Amino acid sequence: SRKLLIFFIVLECIISIIYGQFNYLLPMQMDEFFFEQGAFYFGMMTSINGFVVISCTPILTQLTLRWNDVSRIILGEFLQIIGLCACFFYSDNLICYIMTMVVFTLGEVVHTLGSSPYISKRVPSSHRGRFTSMNNIIRQSASSIGNTFVGKIVVVYTFKAGWIAVGCLGIV
């Protein structure tokens, strides 16, 4: 009976497809451009991701304390899309990858600061566990399907075409 939550799940599916490119398209691109060092550099990116999450979450929590949940979600997604889709513009510049990883991770944190409270305020406590489980299953399924389509785009065209598709989906 809560149509807004259904709309939220649909949007979270789109967000999952975009977010999934962090672990799908980005490592493939790094492998393509950095060869045997690609895996090492991607590992470095995930370490940077973890460091930014740990160090910036308290700061971002305080900075966005007075914001409503939807504003946090929108800003978080904007930063994630900018961070990931910036990979379109360069291929072998490690410093740019590091900078965009920071932007992406800041978006990841802000999105989480908005989406979790959004759900907890709108789903009765008696249904929260079931809703969260269902939401996770649907989101992961969407991410898998999205990875399949992005992979086909990369095989037929290029990595840049894959990032363009992800950016267009982000605009939606």
Side-chain angles (χ1 to χ4, degrees), residues 16-31 42 46 84 104 143-155 159 162-163 166:
S16 285
I17 293 169
I18 295 165
Y19 180 83
Q21 302 319 304
F22 166 65
N23 285 315
Y24 184 72
L25 190 55
L26 182 60
M28 285 194 311
Q29 181 173 336
M30 294 189 87
D31 186 53
F42 181 70
T46 58
L84 284 176
F104 167 78
S143 181
S144 297
I145 293 167
N147 287 349
T148 302
F149 285 115
V150 170
K152 288 180 189 235
I153 291 170
V154 170
V155 167
F159 283 104
W163 289 120
V166 170

Side-chain angles (χ1 to χ4, degrees), residues 1-10 118-128 131 134:
S1 67
R2 298 176 190 222
K3 293 180 175 94
L4 203 53
L5 287 175
I6 293 170
F7 182 67
F8 177 78
I9 290 173
V10 170
Y118 183 88
I119 291 170
S120 66
K121 289 176 186 171
R122 288 162 180 82
V123 177
S125 60
S126 60
H127 291 72
R128 239 174 251 149
F131 179 84
M134 180 191 67

Side-chain angles (χ1 to χ4, degrees), residues 23-158:
N23 285 315
Y24 184 72
L25 190 55
L26 182 60
M28 285 194 311
Q29 181 173 336
M30 294 189 87
D31 186 53
E32 177 82 15
F33 294 122
F34 295 110
F35 306 105
E36 62 276 346
Q37 293 288 64
F40 173 77
Y41 291 152
F42 181 70
M44 191 171 67
M45 295 294 112
T46 58
S47 296
I48 291 167
N49 178 271
F51 175 77
V52 172
V53 167
I54 291 168
S55 62
C56 293
T57 297
I59 297 165
L60 291 171
T61 300
Q62 286 301 312
L63 287 175
T64 63
L65 198 58
R66 297 192 193 323
W67 294 23
N68 68 39
D69 304 330
V70 174
S71 296
R72 288 181 192 166
I73 293 170
I74 290 169
L75 175 63
E77 281 316 300
F78 179 75
L79 291 173
Q80 285 185 56
I81 292 164
I82 294 299
L84 284 176
C85 290
C87 295
F88 170 86
F89 296 105
Y90 46 84
S91 55
D92 60 354
N93 189 334
L94 187 60
I95 300 299
C96 290
Y97 280 103
I98 290 170
M99 290 186 319
T100 59
M101 181 53 54
V102 171
V103 171
F104 167 78
T105 306
L106 293 173
E108 179 183 15
V109 171
V110 173
H111 174 265
T112 301
L113 292 172
S115 65
S116 295
Y118 183 88
I119 291 170
S120 66
K121 289 176 186 171
R122 288 162 180 82
V123 177
S125 60
S126 60
H127 291 72
R128 239 174 251 149
R130 286 175 277 198
F131 179 84
T132 302
S133 297
M134 180 191 67
N135 188 28
N136 286 338
I137 291 168
I138 292 170
R139 286 177 52 219
Q140 292 305 316
S141 299
S143 181
S144 297
I145 293 167
N147 287 349
T148 302
F149 285 115
V150 170
K152 288 180 189 235
I153 291 170
V154 170
V155 167
V156 173
Y157 301 104
T158 63

